[in-house]
Amino acid sequence: MNARAPKEAVIKMYAKREDIHPREVKGPFATLRWACVWLTQALFYGLPWLSMHGRQAVLFDLGARKFHLFGLVLWPQDFIYLAGLLIICAYGLFLVTAVAGRVWCGYACPQTVYTEIFLWIERRIEGDRSARVRLDRQPWTLEKLGKRGAKHLAWGTVALWTGFTFVGYFTPIRALGDAVAHLGLGSWEAFWILFYGFATYGNAGWMREQVCKYMCPYARFQSAMFDRDTLIVSYDAARGEPRGMARNTAKGDCIDCSLCVQVCPVGIDIRDGLQYECIGCAACIDACSGVMDKVGRPRGLIRYSTENALAGGWNAKQIRARLLRPRTLGYGLVFVLMAAGLGSALALRTPLKLDVIRDRGSMGREVEDGKIENVYRLQLMNTGERPHRFHIGVAGIPSAAIADEDLVELDGASARAVPVRVRVDHGAARTGSNALTFTVTAQDDPALRVTEKAVFIVPR
């Protein structure tokens, strides 16, 4: 009799996602988290509606190749300033992460913020955690269909308004609103409103913690910025273990209520130690503090602490003393130097740009009065918000003069190409190439002045 061959063990490489229904929690960190939600969304939804100098205060006008930032107008030539700003933001994130871990993720990241908003809508419509779990398990009924429909309708409304606001940073939002109201929306505007709205709806409504755990690269490389003195959400195992409800010296302070797991938006158990999925939102700290108050134990079983502090039993003063260490000082020094450099560059930036392009179709010619003439095109750019009248001057060669009108008006945040003919007396310049300098000066503000070198050609 042949024995039946045993089945081979099947190793699953993918674990099916389990729905997470975070419990609502009250406490100081929850209040701080909602304050960040209100602040970030007031800025995001409100900034496009602000006006300065007769135009939208914050507008990235890609069609006109101009970025308006509170009266500062940046052109493609000013991309270095935007690059510098992004680098400064990156160093700021490095500094904050080295000091306090993933607080950006827990309080200000758009994924966290919109997940909080969508969870609030879900609680208002479907009820608390236990009610939502029951609703998931029950069969489809008119009640369940009505609640789910109302929730997704509310989610979709928030998502579309978010997409509309996002596009409003690139297309003047008032004109965009008129186009939506009169069904005259352009194809690209419609696409990006729907695309960004769908991304918000999908990420905050459906994917939630999966974005933080699997899609966000920050979760993967954050450990490179952590050290044993970085503040992280920590469980004090020495105080909490062994867990249990018994009130005697054989048990630790943790009563194993699992509330810290129920309130976690990414579904981890902080008692298992530091995990890359933890976003540092401190919801478990608020939950545990409430439990400790009820059972008459001191708060801090779960708290913001460091690995060295937990190992050495440090107090708050000792933890603060280690915040200024070589890593954070290095990040802070680079951050301050770069911010100061960018601020100085913007403060000293002249809101007038000049490019001189010589007419290559004519190397130089002799005109009727015996003078030598060269033709140029001056590309003037007024990057300020005020209009100016500019005087064009030329120097470098004796008798050099502008043969055309030497005054030009230029509106704020605008550019203009000005053809200019320069004439020089015969014999005032040597044959071949001669250095020439153009100077453009604002008549109402002599300090607003820029020069540019050029070449004057005398034919043989």
Side-chain angles (χ1 to χ4, degrees), residues 46 76 122 125 197 221 268 270 311 315 322 338 401 413 423 436 458:
E122 188 174 77
I125 295 175
F221 68 75
I268 64 171
I270 194 61
N315 56 33
R322 286 295 300 164
M338 294 189 66
R423 291 180 179 177
L436 196 69
V458 177

Side-chain angles (χ1 to χ4, degrees), residues 74-156:
L74 299 179
W75 298 71
Q77 297 90 328
D78 300 316
F79 183 77
I80 185 66
Y81 297 115
L82 293 176
L85 180 61
L86 292 176
I87 295 173
I88 290 172
C89 290
Y91 264 94
L93 182 62
F94 297 162
L95 174 61
V96 170
T97 302
V99 172
R102 292 182 69 178
V103 291
W104 159 260
C105 297
Y107 296 90
C109 174
Q111 176 64 22
T112 300
V113 167
Y114 285 105
T115 298
E116 285 284 346
I117 294 172
F118 278 42
L119 278 172
W120 180 86
I121 294 172
E122 188 174 77
R123 294 187 188 107
R124 301 289 77 79
I125 295 175
E126 294 184 354
D128 59 14
R129 180 177 184 272
S130 58
R132 300 199 305 276
V133 172
R134 287 195 305 269
L135 190 66
D136 269 354
R137 294 173 179 172
Q138 72 182 45
W140 284 97
T141 61
L142 287 177
E143 179 187 9
K144 181 174 181 178
L145 185 63
K147 288 184 176 181
R148 288 291 162 87
K151 178 182 75 173
H152 287 285
L153 179 62
W155 282 0

Side-chain angles (χ1 to χ4, degrees), residues 114-394:
Y114 285 105
T115 298
E116 285 284 346
I117 294 172
F118 278 42
L119 278 172
W120 180 86
I121 294 172
E122 188 174 77
R123 294 187 188 107
R124 301 289 77 79
I125 295 175
E126 294 184 354
D128 59 14
R129 180 177 184 272
S130 58
R132 300 199 305 276
V133 172
R134 287 195 305 269
L135 190 66
D136 269 354
R137 294 173 179 172
Q138 72 182 45
W140 284 97
T141 61
L142 287 177
E143 179 187 9
K144 181 174 181 178
L145 185 63
K147 288 184 176 181
R148 288 291 162 87
K151 178 182 75 173
H152 287 285
L153 179 62
W155 282 0
T157 302
V158 173
L160 286 176
W161 183 252
T162 303
F164 170 80
T165 303
F166 173 77
V167 176
Y169 280 93
F170 300 90
T171 299
I173 198 165
R174 288 175 173 81
L176 185 66
D178 290 339
V180 171
H182 294 91
L183 302 179
L185 202 60
S187 57
W188 279 110
E189 286 86 355
F191 169 79
W192 284 108
I193 288 174
L194 294 174
F195 178 83
Y196 198 84
F198 176 77
T200 303
Y201 172 79
N203 289 347
W206 290 93
M207 301 183 70
R208 292 184 180 174
E209 79 286 347
Q210 295 185 94
V211 175
C212 302
K213 293 169 69 173
Y214 305 119
M215 296 174 62
C216 179
Y218 182 52
R220 303 294 178 176
F221 68 75
Q222 57 157 334
S223 58
M225 293 177 280
F226 278 30
D227 58 32
R228 292 184 61 84
D229 290 307
T230 298
L231 282 172
I232 54 177
V233 178
S234 309
Y235 168 69
D236 191 346
R239 173 184 157 186
E241 302 295 327
R243 309 169 194 169
M245 293 291 295
R247 295 176 177 272
N248 56 54
T249 56
K251 296 291 184 181
D253 283 355
C254 179
I255 63 173
D256 205 16
C257 64
S258 77
L259 281 180
C260 56
V261 181
Q262 295 178 33
V263 300
C264 180
V266 293
I268 64 171
D269 190 341
I270 194 61
R271 296 172 297 180
D272 293 336
L274 177 62
Q275 298 151 73
Y276 81 89
E277 297 94 338
C278 177
I279 61 173
C281 68
C284 53
I285 297 180
D286 283 334
C288 187
S289 295
V291 173
M292 292 296 103
D293 290 343
K294 292 178 181 178
V295 299
R297 306 289 176 89
R299 293 186 172 193
L301 179 60
I302 301 177
R303 62 185 184 273
Y304 276 113
S305 187
T306 69
E307 292 184 73
N308 280 334
L310 289 175
W314 293 356
N315 56 33
K317 184 178 180 180
Q318 291 172 303
I319 294 175
R320 287 194 298 270
R322 286 295 300 164
L323 293 180
L324 298 178
R325 54 191 186 278
R327 178 191 293 256
T328 58
L329 290 174
Y331 284 145
L333 179 62
V334 173
F335 178 83
V336 170
L337 290 177
M338 294 189 66
L342 180 62
S344 300
L346 288 174
L348 299 175
R349 170 177 173 265
T350 302
L352 175 63
K353 297 184 182 296
L354 170 64
D355 287 324
V356 179
I357 303 173
R358 196 176 173 283
D359 184 2
R360 298 185 182 277
S362 174
M363 297 300 292
R365 62 183 179 179
E366 186 173 344
V367 293
E368 295 81 0
D369 55 0
K371 294 179 180 291
I372 306 299
E373 180 182 272
N374 280 204
V375 181
Y376 303 86
R377 188 181 72 196
L378 306 188
Q379 190 70 34
L380 289 171
M381 186 181 296
N382 179 13
T383 64
E385 293 282 2
R386 292 172 48 202
H388 294 281
R389 193 178 192 191
F390 296 99
H391 173 264
I392 302 174
V394 64

